[in-house]
Amino acid sequence: MKKNVLFVFLFITGLINGYAQAGTKRPADPEATPEARALYEWLWKSQKQGTMYGHQDDLMCGHTWWNEQGRSDTKETVGDYPAVVGFELGEIELGGDRSLDSVAFRDIRERVRWWHRQRGIITVSWHVVNPISSQWPGIKEPNGAGSAWDVSMLSADGLNAVRSILPGGSNHAMFNNWLERLARFFLSWRDDSGHLIPFIFRPWHEHSGNFFWWGQTRCRDDEYANLWRYTVDYLRAKGLHNILYAYNTDKVYSPEAYLKGYPGDDYIDMLSIDWYGSGDEFYRDVNIALQFTTALATEKHKLHALSECGPISTGLQDLLVNYESVYLLTWRHAPPRGSHSATHMLTDDEIRKLPADVREHYLQWLRQPRHEDYLKVMKQNKNYLFLKDIQKIK
């Protein structure tokens, strides 16, 4: 009798444990670190409570400052940091000490560690140089010659940069070196206990556009998917099981278009989309996109994000609250390229001296709602989460 009771007890306990495991959200990586699993489960919980506000390079630069510890345009506007901060690693593949935005990689690592201690969320983008034209002689330019945007010579059936870096391609060994540099940098992102810091990585973004060398018209969809899988497999093989991966497109108008080049559920933790714009047409189109991307996320048991957008108008804010999305992210504030000085605002006397048509245009620009105005509206909306809000979520 006692044996029967013990058997029933163990059987029921096994069922309960099985149900608990089935209900637990798991990252795509079967070897995900405890920290990555904890972040993933926490993101599901936060997604139910609201949408986090994110800002690219929020800790690195602002409209009028550069690399000042503790500063944040968001904090100076609303008294709180964003919940999500984005970091850019473009040109780390070249082995230098600064990104394509002239941000020192050592400073990025320091801010990542600090931000993790604040319990903030980290997302990473990577604008990789063109593996073909970056080797050509001549002066390289940010967003120009040799950059991720240098694509005019490329096509899926012609000069194909993606094909050149996949196994068997002429630039495959070079690409492995690039991934090695990226992996070494990620392996240096450790917390105070020496554990790898978990974060969201959004490589090969906006594939639906044709403005990057990995874009749709620049390679075939199967090549893009292979690039994704190769990148993830390489990083996992280096022991980087702390990364959550976000699949991403630019604007698309159907679920079929969104999934072109999708690398598979085993490689993806989050579905995300980038969409900039304003006005009635924008609201209509982004609403449709949010409908099918959030539906796909639900179907695939993935998180969702509006990973780049702007401006964050009240119309967009009102629209997004209808969907479960982990975060939205607006792009970086920065002084003009090549200058770390404050952006000059004209004085009243300088405005009066402008030609009449230029003066009117400038005054109209001054009257436009600013990002800071929209941000204050968002901060008052309980559906949007900033750093202090997410620090309360256990």
Side-chain angles (χ1 to χ4, degrees):
M1 182 68 179
K2 290 182 178 178
K3 289 184 178 179
N4 289 339
V5 171
L6 178 61
F7 173 80
V8 171
F9 172 78
L10 292 174
F11 177 74
I12 293 174
T13 302
L15 280 179
I16 292 172
N17 289 338
Y19 290 145
Q21 291 175 4
T24 301
K25 304 295 186 182
R26 299 289 186 187
D29 185 351
E31 298 181 58
T33 63
E35 294 78 16
R37 293 198 303 269
L39 173 60
Y40 188 69
E41 292 171 9
W42 184 92
L43 288 172
W44 277 101
K45 185 182 296 185
S46 73
Q47 186 173 252
K48 293 290 185 181
Q49 298 195 29
T51 299
M52 293 186 286
Y53 172 65
H55 188 206
Q56 183 74 9
D57 267 354
D58 189 85
L59 306 178
M60 309 309 302
C61 59
H63 282 310
T64 61
W65 58 273
W66 185 269
N67 194 24
E68 296 182 33
Q69 178 68 46
R71 287 201 70 175
S72 156
D73 278 2
T74 303
K75 186 173 186 294
E76 291 170 16
T77 298
V78 299
D80 197 0
Y81 289 101
V84 179
V85 168
F87 296 92
E88 167 60 38
L89 301 186
E91 295 190 11
I92 194 169
E93 63 275 12
L94 301 182
D97 62 356
R98 291 181 178 272
S99 74
L100 63 86
D101 294 317
S102 299
V103 179
F105 293 120
R106 67 174 181 275
D107 292 333
I108 291 176
R109 178 172 52 232
E110 184 274 331
R111 296 294 199 283
V112 163
R113 289 172 173 168
W114 181 81
W115 189 240
H116 178 66
R117 287 196 294 271
Q118 313 312 308
R119 294 184 55 210
I121 307 303
I122 300 157
T123 182
V124 175
S125 54
W126 187 27
H127 290 80
V128 190
V129 298
N130 184 318
I132 295 176
S133 63
S134 63
Q135 299 183 72
W136 293 348
I139 298 174
K140 305 301 182 288
E141 302 172 2
N143 300 56
S147 74
W149 294 265
D150 190 14
V151 298
S152 61
M153 78 296 290
L154 302 177
S155 67
D157 298 321
L159 190 60
N160 183 321
V162 170
R163 190 179 304 154
S164 80
I165 62 173
L166 290 173
S170 59
N171 292 314
H172 181 60
M174 181 183 72
F175 183 55
N176 281 343
N177 288 334
W178 289 1
L179 289 176
E180 183 66 25
R181 287 168 178 155
L182 180 69
R184 283 202 303 266
F185 189 51
F186 283 157
L187 286 167
S188 72
W189 291 12
R190 296 181 182 271
D191 64 19
D192 296 335
S193 300
H195 299 131
L196 288 169
I197 293 171
F199 63 92
I200 301 163
F201 188 25
R202 187 172 58 100
W204 315 125
H205 65 299
E206 299 179 355
H207 166 59
S208 60
N210 62 4
F211 34 81
F212 295 131
W213 54 264
W214 56 86
Q216 256 185 22
T217 63
R218 312 302 177 183
C219 66
R220 295 200 304 259
D221 292 334
D222 63 310
E223 292 169 333
Y224 176 77
N226 286 337
L227 174 62
W228 245 103
R229 290 190 286 264
Y230 189 87
T231 301
V232 175
D233 286 341
Y234 190 99
L235 295 177
R236 287 178 180 174
K238 292 296 177 179
L240 288 160
H241 298 288
N242 56 312
I243 303 175
L244 304 179
Y245 291 93
Y247 173 76
N248 180 253
T249 72
D250 190 46
K251 55 186 68 172
V252 290
Y253 301 89
S254 71
E256 294 77 19
Y258 181 78
L259 292 175
K260 284 186 175 182
Y262 184 70
D265 292 348
D266 292 344
Y267 291 86
I268 300 300
D269 299 290
M270 174 184 289
L271 301 185
S272 67
I273 190 167
D274 295 0
W275 208 306
Y276 291 86
S278 61
D280 292 342
E281 184 177 350
F282 163 76
Y283 296 135
R284 180 200 67 204
D285 292 342
V286 79
N287 185 46
I288 294 171
L290 288 170
Q291 286 176 15
F292 65 72
T293 54
T294 54
L296 285 170
T298 300
E299 175 188 324
K300 292 178 172 294
H301 307 290
K302 305 297 181 185
L303 297 161
H304 181 274
L306 182 57
S307 42
E308 286 186 41
C309 66
I312 51 167
S313 62
T314 52
L316 179 59
Q317 293 180 41
D318 292 342
L319 180 63
L320 190 57
V321 297
N322 297 311
Y323 301 95
E324 284 192 4
S325 196
V326 177
Y327 69 87
L328 65 86
L329 182 140
T330 56
W331 206 241
R332 68 198 299 260
H333 296 167
R337 189 181 296 278
S339 171
H340 299 168
S341 61
T343 302
H344 177 64
M345 298 293 290
L346 299 182
T347 65
D348 290 344
D349 188 54
E350 289 172 327
I351 292 173
R352 282 192 293 271
K353 293 178 180 178
L354 292 172
D357 57 336
V358 176
R359 181 171 62 251
E360 180 57 30
H361 181 77
Y362 185 79
L363 290 173
Q364 286 180 4
W365 175 76
L366 286 177
R367 288 191 290 267
Q368 292 295 314
R370 305 293 181 83
H371 170 81
E372 289 73 17
D373 300 324
Y374 292 133
L375 201 59
K376 290 174 182 176
V377 173
M378 177 179 281
K379 189 68 173 71
Q380 298 304 312
N381 189 330
K382 65 180 181 179
N383 294 296
Y384 291 100
L385 308 176
F386 289 71
L387 181 62
K388 291 177 183 177
D389 301 311
I390 68 169
Q391 287 173 337
K392 300 173 184 175
I393 302 175
K394 303 300 183 182

